Amino acid sequence: MVLDGSSSARPDPARVHSFLLRGHNHLPADRETAAILLAEDPQARVAARITHRHRELALTYLAVDHGIRQVLVVGCGYPQRPYAHRVIGRYGTARVVYADTDPVALTHARAVMNATPPGHTGFVLADLAQPATLAGVQAREILDFNRPIAVLLHHVLHLLPDPYNLVTQLKNMLASGSALSITHPTGDLHPRHVAAASAATAAGIPMWLRTREEVEAFCVGRRLAKGGTKPVSSWGHGNKATPGSGASSAAYAVTALKA
């Protein structure tokens, strides 16, 4: 990994996440921060895996039940299987744009995840703090914003103090039939998650945990799928699991559909 001195000296959320998932894209500062998190929450690795597996579940649901073949991954970070374009590609021609604010992460993503045929997968330097950049010229070379798009906001909103207006702007860019898939860390499910978030903030990665109601507020004006907002380990399992089950969940999941 080639980073400038200031970038390598401070922890990065995507690299810490890579370490928790036993990936390869992390540096000493990230491993030190991960150790702090694991000291407060020994289940942090399990929680990261549960949340990561949710991506495939959510994408499969949107592809099979709603026929969505276009995906915008916001805050894609460093590549971890299964890749979104491979999951959607099981059901037809996939058009996927991976967006991130980190050019190094995008370089890694492009090197690892380039799809065949060319032109159906894109990598865009863009920022949720400026929603228009997510639907810029580069993204529109791949995605047709007049047709349904699934937007993944998986484990990114907790890094922003007040992202509600930003999400509203993003939702307003999407056509009828589009979907918003969110995973978001919470302190509702176990006290150790609050302790871990406080430790991460102190270590240089500010985190804003949100309640179930606060997570659901991102979806105002949209129809909620699969029983609404649930712990990640419970989402999509109907009556077999209930909110609050799965003690290892550290986040909520919700999918919202635009009529």
Side-chain angles (χ1 to χ4, degrees):
M1 298 179 67
V2 180
L3 301 175
D4 62 44
S6 61
S7 296
S8 62
R10 62 178 181 265
D12 173 79
R15 297 197 305 262
V16 172
H17 189 62
S18 175
F19 178 81
L20 291 175
L21 291 174
R22 301 189 186 280
H24 304 290
N25 298 293
H26 42 78
L27 298 169
D30 310 306
R31 295 189 284 274
E32 291 168 9
T33 299
I36 293 170
L37 291 177
L38 288 164
E40 296 292 346
D41 180 7
Q43 295 296 310
R45 270 204 158 108
V46 176
R49 287 198 299 270
I50 290 171
T51 302
H52 182 66
R53 285 200 298 266
H54 174 75
R55 178 173 62 183
E56 183 173 12
L57 182 64
L59 285 171
T60 300
Y61 163 71
L62 292 170
V64 173
D65 287 36
H66 297 279
I68 294 178
R69 301 291 183 268
Q70 299 192 110
V71 181
L72 173 60
V73 183
V74 180
C76 64
Y78 292 87
Q80 296 282 348
R81 291 186 177 90
Y83 308 136
H85 64 276
R86 297 298 188 196
V87 176
I88 293 293
R90 298 168 189 166
Y91 307 100
T93 300
R95 296 184 174 275
V96 179
V97 166
Y98 297 94
D100 206 286
T101 60
D102 182 354
V104 178
L106 280 179
T107 298
H108 278 253
R110 184 180 293 109
V112 172
M113 297 194 296
N114 267 330
T116 302
H120 291 168
T121 304
F123 304 87
V124 177
L125 193 64
D127 192 347
L128 178 59
Q130 297 176 303
T133 63
L134 295 167
V137 173
Q138 285 182 297
R140 290 178 183 273
E141 290 177 354
I142 306 295
L143 301 177
D144 180 355
F145 278 78
N146 294 313
R147 298 179 62 81
I149 296 173
V151 177
L152 303 193
L153 291 168
H154 287 186
H155 261 50
V156 294
L157 295 174
H158 68 292
L159 301 173
L160 298 169
D162 186 13
Y164 288 96
N165 181 55
L166 302 175
V167 173
T168 296
Q169 292 180 54
L170 182 57
K171 289 190 298 185
N172 290 341
M173 297 176 189
L174 303 176
S176 177
S178 294
L180 195 66
S181 176
I182 294 172
T183 62
H184 196 300
T186 182
D188 289 356
L189 305 176
H190 200 285
R192 67 174 180 262
H193 303 148
V194 178
S198 297
T201 299
I205 301 179
M207 291 178 59
W208 285 268
L209 302 184
R210 293 185 170 93
T211 66
R212 179 180 179 179
E213 292 73 21
E214 289 171 329
V215 173
E216 207 157 274
F218 288 114
C219 306
V220 169
R222 302 293 186 269
R223 178 172 64 87
L224 304 186
K226 293 289 187 179
T229 305
K230 293 186 176 183
V232 175
S233 61
S234 301
W235 190 92
H237 296 292
N239 295 326
K240 297 178 182 179
T242 57
S245 67
S248 295
S249 287
Y252 283 122
V254 61
T255 295
L257 304 166
K258 184 173 183 178

